[in-house]
Amino acid sequence: MNPLQPGQVLEVRSRERSVADDLPAWCRMVQHEFLGVQPGPIDASYFIRKGGADHNLQQDVEAARGYQWSVRVRSEASANAKVYSRNHTFLAGQPADFSASVDAPSSVDYLLGALGSCLTVGFKLNASRKGVIVDAAELSLRGKLHNVLFHMQLEDTGSAGFSEISGTFYVSSPAEEDQLQEIWRLTLERSPIYQTLRGQVEIAIQLSIFI
């Protein structure tokens, strides 16, 4: 971007599938405008309009480093809350609801879902960056609280936090097992959600590879 003047357009060509997700996010963080993508027979062209005052790549990196995520949460009817996140909204119910059918997933469900989606999407992106084909990927997670009765104020001892999270990540790929194991290790190492939780709760997720 450095040689361009503000308002000029850069065309980026790539066969890398993760660019479709990474590039728009990068543009938002460093205040360039992502104009769109034009698929081609071999690769895809991505178009970016340089924004703001003239700046160099290091300034873009520093802008990304200082980016902060934010949400707004408003109380709704019953025990639900509405979460506003960028251009999306979703409902969250009370943590301790044991019904099979609920009006909205609980905050505990969302926490497990955040971990699962971070690892599943992260694995596919890391595989794509290394040129590894992933035919299918699915993660099954289970979580248990230390003492849910403490959270519900039915007991006065214990902890309301997770005591353990376990699961299995299933992946179908023609790649070698050693290569998939390395991608899984990298995924865990670079996952914001996994790295935040692992210091607070025991997490045991097995990698299961099938063809």
Side-chain angles (χ1 to χ4, degrees):
M1 297 296 288
N2 290 350
L4 274 65
Q5 297 298 315
Q8 289 187 307
V9 175
L10 175 69
E11 178 183 359
V12 178
R13 295 181 180 177
S14 178
R15 301 179 185 181
E16 174 59 58
R17 292 188 298 173
S18 64
V19 172
D21 295 313
D22 292 344
L23 197 55
W26 177 76
C27 288
R28 288 192 298 270
M29 288 191 288
V30 300
Q31 298 181 348
H32 297 315
E33 182 183 0
F34 180 72
L35 299 177
V37 56
Q38 181 178 336
I42 299 177
D43 53 20
S45 292
Y46 303 85
F47 299 92
I48 308 166
R49 177 179 287 120
K50 186 171 183 176
D54 193 17
H55 55 274
N56 56 35
L57 178 59
Q58 186 57 38
Q59 289 175 309
D60 291 346
V61 171
E62 291 306 315
R65 192 191 310 276
Y67 182 82
Q68 293 187 14
W69 282 256
S70 63
V71 298
R72 181 169 58 91
V73 184
R74 188 181 70 186
S75 175
E76 292 284 294
S78 302
N80 291 338
K82 178 173 283 189
V83 182
Y84 297 83
S85 174
R86 297 189 231 191
N87 60 318
H88 293 276
T89 63
F90 55 89
L91 288 176
Q94 56 182 315
D97 191 330
F98 309 117
S99 305
S101 177
V102 293
D103 294 334
S106 74
S107 53
V108 174
D109 295 319
Y110 277 116
L111 187 146
L112 289 175
L115 173 61
S117 59
C118 191
L119 295 178
T120 302
V121 173
F123 186 92
K124 292 194 68 175
L125 292 180
N126 289 328
S128 180
R129 292 185 181 111
K130 293 181 177 296
V132 172
I133 296 173
V134 175
D135 296 322
E138 181 174 321
L139 176 56
S140 174
L141 284 178
R142 298 173 299 278
K144 181 181 179 182
L145 303 183
H146 281 284
N147 187 357
V148 69
L149 299 181
F150 180 80
H151 159 70
M152 299 171 67
Q153 299 188 44
L154 297 177
E155 292 185 359
D156 294 326
T157 58
S159 167
F162 273 97
S163 61
E164 61 182 53
I165 297 175
S166 61
T168 304
F169 183 68
Y170 303 93
V171 59
S172 173
S173 171
E176 295 293 330
E177 181 176 347
D178 289 349
Q179 193 172 22
L180 295 173
Q181 290 282 1
E182 173 59 23
I183 294 171
W184 178 241
R185 185 200 64 77
L186 177 65
T187 299
L188 295 177
E189 181 182 82
R190 301 302 177 96
S191 164
I193 308 301
Y194 177 83
Q195 290 298 326
T196 298
L197 293 176
R198 66 186 293 264
Q200 305 297 322
V201 57
E202 180 180 346
I203 303 178
I205 305 175
Q206 297 181 342
L207 176 65
S208 179
I209 301 169
F210 59 97
I211 299 176

